[in-house]
């Protein structure tokens, strides 16, 4: 019996990279019963940072380890997107200075136990199908970003910067600042017009598409001239985004009156 238990423990050390998280369902599916899990926790072979969540480590947990665990071990179609993706991809100086929320986008809800993890950040899940209905068939392509975890290079899936900008615009005006977005868009001179054209065609939000094109026109980046707006459905009618704001005559959206033209 001891030999069998030792063999299972050795197998767990191979299957569960140190520092990463799995839930009770994952362990159950891999042959680790509730009694065996409790035994491993008592012996210090497994840590139990939240109810029915386990990891092989006594070191502090990071949000990156949690996300990598979701994307790889638990195989969830989630991407770090919006504000968080832009911050991690090098645009933090245009946005807030301190990371307080990690925005996850995907067609399936993130596990509820994320909120119970001992972390200084909060996870916010966004249903990506609402913005990009095609996500029902496939998750977004990963951005080529690598993070080191447990001595290995494991990929963490981010929205591309083109997609992350659209995700960020979806948060206007309730949860994001027009002026921070304006500063961010001014610095985005290296976006891919091919990727933007595809994303704008797939995006279901008229508000997001109009806002993006307004800021693109405002900052006159070289990639703007390569976008075919005739292929983008901009809907009809006005969109009141700011009460008492000024109406942009091109895209028929109300904007802060102090967001002057260029």
């Amino acid at each position: 019996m001891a030999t069998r238990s030792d063999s299972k423990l050795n197998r767990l050390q191979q299957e569960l990279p140190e520092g990463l998280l799995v839930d009770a369902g994952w362990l159950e599916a891999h042959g680790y019963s509730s009694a065996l899990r409790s035994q491993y926790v008592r012996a210090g072979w497994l840590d139990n940072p939240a109810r029915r969540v386990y990891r092989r480590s006594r070191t502090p947990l990071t949000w990156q380890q949690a996300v990598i665990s979701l994307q790889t071990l638990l195989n969830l179609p989630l991407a770090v997107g919006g504000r968080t993706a832009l911050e991690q991809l090098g645009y933090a100086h245009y946005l807030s200075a301190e990371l307080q929320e990690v925005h996850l986008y995907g067609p399936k809800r993130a596990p509820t136990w994320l909120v119970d993890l001992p972390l200084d950040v909060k996870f916010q899940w966004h249903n990506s199908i609402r913005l990009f209905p095609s996500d029902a068939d496939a998750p977004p392509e990963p951005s080529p970003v690598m993070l080191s975890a447990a001595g290995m290079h494991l990929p963490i899936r981010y929205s591309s910067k083109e997609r992350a900008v659209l995700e960020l615009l979806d948060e206007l005006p309730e949860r994001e600042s027009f002026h921070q977005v304006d500063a961010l868009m001014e610095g985005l001179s290296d976006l891919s017009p091919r990727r933007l054209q595809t994303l704008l065609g797939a995006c279901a939000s008229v508000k997001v598409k109009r806002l993006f094109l307004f800021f693109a026109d405002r900052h006159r980046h070289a990639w703007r001239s390569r976008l075919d707006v005739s292929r983008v459905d901009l809907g009809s009618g006005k969109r009141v985004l700011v009460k008492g704001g000024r109406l942009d005559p091109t895209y028929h959206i109300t904007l802060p009156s102090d967001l002057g033209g260029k």
Side-chain angles (χ1 to χ4, degrees):
M1 183 65 70
T3 301
R4 184 182 303 173
S5 179
D6 290 345
S7 175
K8 278 199 168 185
L9 180 60
N10 290 335
R11 182 161 57 86
L12 182 63
Q13 291 172 339
Q14 295 174 358
E15 294 176 333
L16 179 56
E18 185 172 351
L20 300 192
L21 294 163
V22 290
D23 57 19
W26 186 96
L27 286 167
E28 196 77 36
H30 285 73
Y32 300 92
S33 66
S34 176
L36 195 55
R37 298 194 298 270
S38 297
Q39 176 187 331
Y40 287 174
V41 171
R42 287 194 301 271
W45 295 324
L46 278 180
D47 188 22
N48 187 203
R51 183 175 179 272
R52 296 178 61 79
V53 180
Y54 303 87
R55 67 195 290 255
R56 286 181 47 241
S57 182
R58 290 290 184 179
T59 59
L61 177 68
T62 67
W63 71 262
Q64 291 95 336
Q65 289 172 328
V67 170
I68 290 172
S69 303
L70 296 176
Q71 294 177 342
T72 56
L73 295 177
L74 299 181
N75 198 31
L76 294 175
L78 293 168
V80 177
R83 164 184 282 270
T84 315
L86 292 166
E87 288 170 340
Q88 297 299 301
L89 294 172
Y91 300 98
H93 53 291
Y94 296 113
L95 301 168
S96 61
E98 183 178 357
L99 179 69
Q100 297 178 333
E101 294 180 332
V102 175
H103 294 270
L104 299 175
Y105 289 77
K108 295 183 179 179
R109 183 175 291 276
T112 56
W113 48 256
L114 278 178
V115 301
D116 299 324
L117 295 176
L119 292 168
D120 294 330
V121 300
K122 294 181 178 180
F123 288 97
Q124 295 287 340
W125 174 73
H126 304 261
N127 186 349
S128 62
I129 296 176
R130 189 182 62 79
L131 196 58
F132 294 101
S134 59
D135 277 7
D137 303 316
E141 294 181 3
S143 180
V145 176
M146 305 290 285
L147 288 179
S148 179
M152 301 182 299
H153 283 289
L154 294 174
I156 185 166
R157 186 185 306 123
Y158 288 91
S159 296
S160 67
K161 56 191 170 184
E162 292 83 5
R163 177 171 171 136
V165 170
L166 299 180
E167 292 166 341
L168 183 71
L169 288 170
D170 192 39
E171 299 295 293
L172 286 173
E174 291 86 1
R175 293 172 294 276
E176 287 294 343
S177 157
F178 277 96
H179 294 89
Q180 283 194 346
V181 171
D182 186 45
L184 169 72
M185 285 292 296
E186 186 174 16
L188 292 177
S189 60
D190 59 345
L191 298 186
S192 162
R194 177 188 59 80
R195 188 174 291 129
L196 285 172
Q197 190 75 58
T198 300
L199 287 167
L200 289 170
C203 182
S205 171
V206 168
K207 178 195 81 169
V208 167
K209 291 181 284 191
R210 291 188 190 183
L211 278 170
F212 178 80
L213 291 170
F214 164 78
F215 283 113
D217 290 353
R218 174 174 166 80
H219 294 296
R220 304 185 182 93
H221 291 308
W223 47 258
R224 172 61 184 89
S225 64
R226 297 174 61 188
L227 296 178
D228 184 356
V229 179
S230 68
R231 293 165 52 197
V232 180
D233 180 7
L234 296 177
S236 60
K238 299 175 182 178
R239 295 295 190 274
V240 179
L241 305 182
V242 179
K243 290 185 178 180
R246 66 177 183 87
L247 180 68
D248 177 72
T250 302
Y251 297 109
H252 303 290
I253 48 177
T254 55
L255 300 164
S257 55
D258 60 346
L259 191 65
K262 285 197 173 185

